[in-house]
Amino acid sequence: MYRHFSAAVVGSINMDLILRMDRVPETGENVLGSSYGYANGGKGANQAVGLARLGAKTKMIGKVCADENGRTLLAHLLAEGVDVSGVSTDGSQTGLAAILLDGAGKNRIVVFECANAEIDPEAAARCLLPPPDLLLVQFETREDVVVSCVNEAVKNGVTTVIDCGPAKNFALEKMPGADILSPNESETLALTGIYPSDDGAVRKACEILSARSKARYVVLKLGARGCAVWDGRRLQFLPAYETKVVDTTAAGDCFTAAMALEYKRTGDIIAACDMGNRAGSIAVSRLGAADSMPTAEELYK
Ligand code: ATP
Ligand code: RIB
C-alpha cells in the first residue's frame, strides 16, 4: 500500500531476553520466574520492522557483531524485507536488552548497548544518500550519531521523526527543525523536568520541547491515555484504543513507525497520531518487540 515511500532508520539492534514473572523482585529479594525467551528487538530495528510491515521500502542503519545474536537479528531483518546494507557487522558484541516483564504486562529494561554505541556518525550520515523520503531516529545510539543524521536529513528536506527513547537528556538544540519530536512520559521528564501527568503539565512540557528542538510538531506518547499533539499553538489529546494488555514493550516504537508513515502519506498530524494509537494498541496486546508490530492488513483494514 505504501510501497512507494522509502524510509531509513538509524538506530539500535538488540537481542531481547524476556524474563516473565508475576512481579519483579525488590532489592535483595528472590522471586520465581514463569518463563523466559529471546526475541528480536532494539528500538531502531523495531521501528524498521514496523515500517516494513506497513509497506515502506525500509533501510536499517546500525551496527551488530558477527556473533550468533548478530547473525540471528540480521537474518530476521532481512526476512522482514528490511534492507540491511547500512548495518555493519564489526561491532565488539551485539546489543542486548534484559526485559523483566510482570503479570500486568509492565516492563523494566536493562540495555547493554555494545555495538549500538560504536556506530560512526559520519558513516551513518553517508548511508542517508541518496536521501530517503522519511528518516526515523531514536536515542539508543550515541548523541553524535543522531545529531549528524538528523542534520543531514533536515538539510536534504527529508521528513524527519525523532523518537526520544530511551529517557536521556539529549541536546535537542543540536538537531533543530525535525518534522516530529516524540517522547513518552519518562522521556518527557528526562528532557524537560516535567512529568506529563495532567493537561497543564503536558502543555508546559510541549512548549519546552518545541522551543528546544524547533520541531514542527511535538507528539507525547501517554501510554494507556493515548497521545497529545502540540503544533506550537494548539494542544490536542487523542485517546488510546481499548485492548487487553499482554506486553507493553515496543508499543512506543510501533506508535512512532505507524504515525511517521501516515504523516508522510497524508501530511495530517492528527490522522497520523490516531494511526499511531491504533498501532500501539495492537502492539501492547502481543508479546515481544519487533514481533508485535502489526501488518498493513491488520492496521489499515
Ligand atoms: P515502550 O518504551 O515500552 O516501547 P513507550 O513507553 O514508549 O513504550 P507508551 O507511551 O507506553 O510507549 O505507548 C505508546 C502508545 O501505545 C501509546 O501512545 C498508545 O497509543 C499505545 N498504548 C500504550 N499502552 C496502551 C494501553 N494500555 N492500551 C491501549 N493503547 C496503549
Ligand atoms: O522499545 C523497546 C526496545 O527497547 C526493546 O526491544 C529493547 O531492545 C529496548 O531497547
Side-chain angles (χ1 to χ4, degrees):
M1 185 177 190
Y2 297 138
R3 187 73 56 190
H4 54 292
F5 287 115
S6 63
V9 181
V10 180
S12 56
I13 305 171
N14 291 333
M15 181 58 78
D16 287 355
L17 168 60
I18 304 176
L19 307 164
R20 296 185 87 174
M21 58 207 73
D22 285 342
R23 64 176 183 84
V24 296
E26 302 291 339
T27 304
E29 191 193 11
N30 196 325
V31 298
L32 281 181
S34 49
S35 65
Y36 73 89
Y38 293 91
N40 308 295
K43 292 183 189 298
N46 296 340
Q47 292 180 22
V49 170
L51 288 168
R53 285 192 179 178
L54 296 181
K57 189 171 177 294
T58 307
K59 178 177 182 177
M60 179 78 213
I61 297 158
K63 198 186 275 281
V64 294
C65 167
D67 54 16
E68 198 183 331
N69 283 345
R71 281 191 290 275
T72 304
L73 292 166
L74 274 190
H76 168 253
L77 285 170
L78 272 173
E80 292 283 352
V82 175
D83 169 2
V84 295
S85 61
V87 180
S88 54
T89 55
D90 56 353
S92 55
Q93 202 177 12
T94 297
L96 182 120
I99 302 178
L100 273 62
L101 183 63
D102 71 19
K106 293 281 183 193
N107 63 40
R108 286 162 179 74
I109 305 180
V110 185
V111 175
F112 300 85
E113 291 179 305
C114 307
N116 298 309
E118 297 161 13
I119 301 170
D120 177 67
E122 281 80 37
R126 275 196 302 277
C127 289
L128 294 175
L129 296 172
D133 296 317
L134 175 66
L135 171 70
L136 266 59
V137 296
Q138 317 76 35
F139 293 172
E140 208 165 50
T141 52
R142 279 170 22 195
E143 182 178 290
D144 56 359
V145 172
V146 180
V147 167
S148 102
C149 290
V150 168
N151 287 336
E152 177 71 21
V154 169
K155 183 180 81 187
N156 291 322
V158 176
T159 300
T160 302
V161 177
I162 304 175
D163 180 304
C164 305
K168 288 178 184 170
N169 191 9
F170 263 24
L172 302 177
E173 297 77 4
K174 291 186 189 165
M175 42 184 133
D179 291 84
I180 303 173
L181 182 84
S182 183
N184 70 10
E185 291 153 310
S186 58
E187 293 148 14
T188 299
L189 176 65
L191 288 163
T192 66
I194 296 171
Y195 190 84
S197 47
D198 55 34
D199 294 14
V202 168
R203 190 185 176 94
K204 186 76 205 144
C206 285
E207 284 171 353
I208 294 172
L209 292 165
S210 233
R212 288 191 61 191
S213 68
K214 306 277 186 289
R216 180 162 186 195
Y217 298 107
V218 173
V219 174
L220 298 199
K221 294 180 280 256
L222 300 171
R225 292 184 291 155
C227 66
V229 188
W230 172 249
D231 65 4
R233 283 177 304 143
R234 209 156 82 94
L235 185 65
Q236 254 181 284
F237 287 88
L238 302 177
Y241 286 84
E242 260 186 51
T243 189
K244 184 175 161 2
V245 178
V246 173
D247 176 9
T248 61
T249 308
D253 299 330
C254 183
F255 179 102
T256 296
M259 171 198 60
L261 193 54
E262 191 67 9
Y263 178 71
K264 180 73 219 174
R265 191 178 76 87
T266 64
D268 179 341
I269 191 68
I270 301 301
C273 289
D274 183 59
M275 193 63 84
N277 273 339
R278 254 204 262 177
S281 75
I282 295 176
V284 299
S285 71
R286 298 172 177 172
L287 182 64
D291 297 327
S292 65
M293 302 289 139
T295 61
E297 291 68 35
E298 291 170 315
L299 192 60
Y300 304 137
K301 71 182 176 202

